Amino acid sequence: MSRSPATAPTAPRPAPGGPPPAREPLPARLLRIALTERVALLAVLLVVVVAVFWWQGRNQYLVAPYDLPYLASALESMVPVCILAIAQLLVVVSGRGGIDLSVGGIVSLAGMVFGFCVGPFGWATAPSVVVAVAAGALMGALNGFLVAYVRFPALIATLATSYAFGALALLSNDNAPISDEPVQELHELTRSLAVPGVGDVPLQVLTFLVPVLVVAWLVLARSTYGRSLYAVGTNDVAALYATQPVRRTRFLAYVGSGLLAGVVAVVTVAQFASARPDAGSAGNGMALPAITIAVLGGVAIQGGVGRVGGVVVAALLVTWLNAGILLAFEGSEGSRYQLLALGLVLVLSALLNTLALRRYGRIS
Amino acid sequence: SKKTDTAATGTDGADTTTVAFVPKLQGVPYFEAMNAGGEAAAAELGFEWVYRGSTTADAGAQTDIVKSLIQQEVDVLVVAPNDPDSMAPVLQDAADAGIEVMTADTDAPNSVREVFVNQATAEGIGTALTDSLLEAMGGKGKYAIVSCGQTAANLNSWIEVQKEVTAEKYPEAEIVDIVYAGEDEAKATSMAKDLMNAHPDLTGLVGECTSSAPGVAKAVAETGKIGQVFTVGLGTPQAMKQYLDEGSASTTILWDVEKLGYLTGWAGKQLADGTAFSATNEVSADLPAVEYTDSDKMLLLGPPLEITKDNVDQFDY
Amino acid sequence: MSVLATRPEPAAAATTRRRPVLRGVEGQELVLIGVLAVTWVALSLATDTFLTGGNLRNIVFSVAPVALIGIGMTAVIVTAGIDVSVGSQVAVVIVVVGKLVRDAGVPLLPALAVALVLGGVLGTVNGLLVSYGRIHPIIVTFGTLNVYRFVSLQIFGNEQVSGVPGTFAVLGGGQRGQLLGIPAAFLLAVVLGALMWCYMRFWPTGRHLYAVGGDPLAARLAGVSVRRRVVSAYVLTGVCAGLATCVLIGSGGLVQQNAGAGLELAVIAAVVIGGTSIVGGRGTVLGTLLGALLVGTITSAVTLLGWSSQLTNLFIGVFILIAVGADLLRERRRRSR
Amino acid sequence: MDGSGPGGQGDVLLRATGVEKRYGGVRALRGVDFEVRAGEVHALVGENGAGKSTLIKIVSGAETADGGTVTVAGTALEPGSTQAAMAAGIATVYQEPHLFGELDVAENVFLGRELRHGGRVDRRAQRARVVELLEQIGLDPAIADVRVADLPVAEQQLVSIAKAFAHSARVLVLDEPSAILTDREIEILFAVVRRLRAAGMGVVYISHRLDELAQITDRVTVMRDGLVVAGEPTASLTVRRIAELMVGHAVGGRGRRQRAVDGEEVLAVRGLGRGERFRGLDLTVRAGEVVALYGLVGSGTSDIARALYGITPATDGVVAVDGRQVRLRSPRAAAAAGITLLPGNRKAQGVFGDKSIAFNISSAHLGFLSRSGWFDARREREVAEHYISEIAIKAPGPDTLVGNLSGGNAQKVVLARQLVEKPRVLVMEEPTQGVDVGAKEEIHRLVLELAAAGSAVLVISTDLAEVLELADRVVVVRRGSVVREFAAGATQADVLAAAAGDAGTTPGGTAADPTSAPTSAPTGAGGTP
Ligand SMILES: Nc1ncnc2c1ncn2[C@@H]1O[C@H](COP(=O)(O)OP(=O)(O)OP(=O)(O)O)[C@@H](O)[C@H]1O
Ligand SMILES: Nc1ncnc2c1ncn2[C@@H]1O[C@H](COP(=O)(O)OP(=O)(O)OP(=O)(O)O)[C@@H](O)[C@H]1O
Ligand SMILES: [Mg+2]
Ligand SMILES: [Mg+2]
């Protein structure tokens, strides 16, 4: 199971003396990849979901058309959760039960910092953004120190800090959100951008999400640090023997997670034109949905395995699935069926994956 | 089955107006009652009423739902925002899409909303809560408030009023603590008990929202302090009934939520038809004279109700 | 033979690095007892209200649900699993049982049975998906977290269950829920906790839970029926969730749709604070109960001290770090010796 | 010779017929027939990846065969069930020790088949039994209630052997038990095995130390590429013949080498020490020299290795490489100083199980394989492919998961990692653990080439024959300090005596043991029993 996403399928070993293994026909090959590679599986699912809803929309089965503009505008709610899922990807891959429950708290607190800078302090946007993101990174550094150097279980360390950060956010402005004039003007950062043929794409997709994804991909898939991270996550003792700076590598993963949470804080404040002390904890909070997306995207909770691609496809799938479901019901049932859908997608895709892996003999 | 939504896809200029109402969250009796009122109005005044709420009370989920309604091209959009300022941007989007925007139950002052349907003024609610509690407490003594979401704008505005009124009208009374239990009745109960333990001379508790009102009453009942500690709160009648009957809750302050829903629906219809509101409006037989103040574009349902064990059975929610 | 039996050298290590396992109380438990003791003493000195029956009752009662579910969760986490769906399990059980006792007037014992069985069923689904479906527990339970929540909301059908009678008052927070002045719910948690502690310590199948968590392959090779053990842990958790639900209903009143929301984190926190290793193979129920107690104490302490309630979570966070950190330092010192 | 006991006369206890097993594309077993008789010790040999472990995993129910049947005393065995296999009387010691670090030794031995008393685990009885067992296999009974995680890997191996002995079995399967044991421990093991054979038990014995076979086994079955290629009485085979059968072609013998080493000092260690683990270690290794550090389990050699590699840094003493003094605070520091370590515990310290061969080899050379922070995947592949052919790693390609490799091939991958950047000082712990004759020769050749190329090599091995074969000097460590040093050409008896100290082991004492004579024949294809 844990092997599936990150490793290429082992090519058949030419059995010496025996007949050379028969070449696998293309369709069979595609099927195998679609079933064994989590990313491929999700991609197929994504296409199916969109196609079905689009068709239903065309034939008036939905209360409104499920068209490109709608899909585009739905991306707005995907940006935060997707970035935070990438943050989880970083820390989960770093291994030893890695996880970051504090992203919600960081979003709240960094968001308040941002709000204070822009509002009461009246700073320009650019420096405020830098400060907010830096604040996020700093909080991540605290997590990283506790987990990598003091060796706290990540779950406990980040749970504790999430309580703390959340409380500080509330205390910072005595429960009140900051939403004065300059903060409201921040909404400009997330106004929608008319893209010919598509419709209005939320600006933050281009200004925040895409850059984050590109950088994350480069770091994880192409950089030396990425390699070190996967090594540490797979077996940190072996990594130590392979001269990896185990503690620093793990530490940096949490810094990265905090930094991304800081970015999300900026996006959220801009999107809602107000810095809310409970931004990251309202509703179900931001941590669990992010972890859910990461896990759906094939990030193996035991570490060392996970890809940016998988997380992105998972985020798209969930976002557009939810958007469709809302249109499928007149009344309030929609948001309930969203829960059902998410649950089923999680379990069934994983089930399909394991069955396939057994079928294709990749797990013994 | 096909959703025959002539109104929803308003392209074919069909005449039925659609008024959509987005509550803070679905399933709570309060908003379900508003929904009932809205449906009643829709039936009588002839428009389509859409009620769509999320399963969690947060701005993000609410935004997604508003988006789906914009996509649906409803004519009027009514929102009870979880976080007023956060709703402003998406309400702007709705207005840009040519939708009439209004708020009900909770206002979004800095938004483009054309009217706010207010159940009662903060003054009205705050004063009613304080008066009825101190009446039970005999005009003096220490009391504490168990509120819900720390950031809930309307609750906080009521609490402000309670502080003032207590200070001015009841010099011998004192608010000793304000705690936040979230939308969780069990937590409210446990915190209320903590408060009673922390202040043995406490004689009053206020449950500021529909989950903490029964919560504090339950705490009093469970600690056997009925008659020593008095509670009031903003609870929905059926949830409060048993506590009102056994006396662990003296009064619950509310308003006729179904009428509020009706008024909301009516107001939506007016907006859609482009009829302006007059200073006092005759909405229906039950709502002969609803006041409208142009300065803050607010329709006011009227003074809050004091629900006691005597009149609690008049309400079926 | 004796000539042949030359011992390998009694490596100097033997004395220092090697520690016998299964001492009476594990390190983390000692630390927690210490931290708790200090906190309680400090609070009784700082306030004259802490050391009152009413307050202590309220503390132990409010931790009962977490403690009860924690008993099952400890087993699950020891097998290197996790169950984040307990909150939603509670939601399903609470609406079903709530409606049963209110609308059908079902008496205590049958209602209790329904709660336990229903919880067990929900747990079984998780267990089967984990063991036979071979899906990582966190995926399974994140999935069922959503599915169960959906189920409960469907049963609620847009209205909370109000006016629930006091069928479960014996487990509730009122006088009727007390035994010798102690909340029965808490006593229940203590008794079940003790039983579970013995089971996991002295019974073969209990020990196997640790083996499964330590190295499932090795466990299988040793002839442990891994799948059965895993399923049993999740079933137990479900049953505990059912029981906790009865405590939550307690003396009746209002049952909300958001029942159990966020409970999973509270429980997992209690378990891990209690010294159970999140990667499996190590942990005890005693630690879990102490962990739950610590969190409960802090929550009410903040109110007792009259501090602004936003501070509560800040203190919970800090205390978690202190309690767990102290044990880490002990371990560190032991290793470096 | 002692080996030809009642061998082969007893009736068949275990019979596997036409066993097939595929792993994805890999055909691990291609219709294997195999049988074990009562009262015989049956050797199963073959190159790395021949399919030995797979076969015994299937016999023990740890894996499910794709074809074929396994019968115990005539009755078919339920496939894929370890319980069924145990119930049928098959006890197995797997190649990699499978124990529970968090549980104590006594509990590990009985886990899954606890001694009970009124439903509860009867700890007292278990402990008593374990103490016996530990004494039989020469372990300190005091460890009965020690966390297994705190034991060195060799002792863990012995514990898992004790586990197999603990239950009255009819067939005992030992998969390379000797791979990480000292010769002394192996002798003890043999004594126990002989007793079991005498008691009419059937024993399957997998090993790459072919010289052992003559001492202990009655019959030899040779496997190659998932097929049985020969099965004959041990008496009728020579080590060389067996080796040829395994490899499939003639293997060249090679006598002990004699060469003068006059390179300059590369590694110089003065008064190195760490607490009670080891102290006052003086050691020098010249360019082109191979020095062996020999000691019994727990003697501290492993700790010296860890100190030289900065994992658990030394507390006192100085280390110099090429005359420059270096501070070995972390593995990175050691690597920077030109020291690399081939770790002794492959599973825990060596491999990244679910990662590819390429990943495993490159993991210690990310800097070397990167340009300004960006990783060069193409060069990584090239390096991997180079070593796959260079040291004959049996695998489909660089993308193969190391977790799917046979024990010996995994070991080769870890070794390859040490060679990439031509280290100045190469420290090797058990360099050929679980490696077949052919591979062993290759690895020895590599080590010598590396030395010849001017590196200093420090071999830490408990395989005495290997030590004597490779080393220009043998440094014997006991209780954490050097007790003696031998030049090339020392006899096993001397070295062993020095290592074991006077604790009942004089050369005489060893000679008294009839089996010790063959032991002193050098391993590898060289000698004959
Ligand atoms: N003495 C040791 N023996 C075996 N394994 C060890 C030892 N010390 C540490 N490890 C393993 O290696 C991992 C990393 O250890 P550590 O954090 O010290 O690496 P590091 O190289 O010191 O990091 P950095 O270089 O950034 O300080 C730990 O998780 C532990 O499992
Ligand atoms: N779990 C697995 N998945 C895929 N291939 C495997 C797996 N286990 C073993 N193999 C392959 O099966 C073949 C036989 O492996 P096996 O472990 O039986 O070899 P072996 O004879 O024990 O070698 P060694 O002496 O090195 O232990 C090897 O090619 C190995 O790569
Ligand atoms: Mg093998
Ligand atoms: Mg050693």
Side-chain angles (χ1 to χ4, degrees), chain D residues 326-408:
Chain D
V326 291
R327 291 180 73 250
L328 305 172
R329 290 258 136 267
S330 80
R332 271 177 313 159
I339 303 177
T340 102
L341 170 73
L342 176 74
N345 181 345
R346 188 195 307 138
K347 199 176 169 191
Q349 306 163 330
V351 297
F352 300 97
D354 61 7
K355 291 280 179 279
S356 70
I357 291 177
F359 183 105
N360 272 270
I361 293 179
S362 64
S363 57
H365 312 284
L366 300 184
F368 176 73
L369 290 171
S370 303
R371 287 205 193 73
S372 59
W374 299 111
F375 190 74
D376 182 344
R378 220 183 64 264
R379 265 176 73 212
E380 174 192 37
R381 253 191 106 76
E382 289 163 6
V383 171
E385 272 153 356
H386 167 74
Y387 282 103
I388 288 179
S389 53
E390 168 87 15
I391 58 177
I393 298 169
K394 198 169 283 178
D399 297 330
T400 312
L401 304 184
V402 169
N404 297 353
L405 293 181
S406 74

Side-chain angles (χ1 to χ4, degrees), chain C residues 1 3-13 16-22 201-204 207-208 210-211 214-215 217-225 281-282 334, chain D residues 61-62 82-83 86 94 98 100 102-104 107 111-112 114 116 119-121 123 135-136 138 143 145-147 150-152 155 184 187-188 276-277 298 478-479 503 505:
Chain C
M1 186 64 216
V3 186
L4 279 172
T6 17
R7 307 261 152 72
E9 309 190 7
T16 55
R17 273 189 322 177
R18 302 170 171 186
R19 99 175 124 91
V21 285
L22 281 174
R201 194 187 247 283
F202 298 122
W203 260 257
R207 300 306 295 166
H208 292 176
Y210 292 92
D215 179 346
L217 173 59
R220 196 168 69 82
L221 298 181
V224 173
S225 34
R282 182 160 56 79
R334 188 181 71 76
Chain D
T82 48
Q83 280 112 317
M86 289 182 181
Y94 297 91
H98 283 296
F100 306 98
E102 287 295 327
L103 305 184
D104 64 26
E107 199 159 11
L111 197 124
E114 292 76 5
R116 301 170 185 225
R120 304 156 91 244
V121 177
R123 288 190 191 289
E135 292 192 314
Q136 281 180 18
I143 69 170
D145 39 24
V146 166
R147 260 185 5 145
D150 296 336
L151 296 176
E155 285 186 28
R184 175 138 301 278
E187 285 172 15
I188 296 162
E276 320 104 319
R277 319 288 298 117
R478 209 173 118 244
R479 291 218 168 80
T505 323

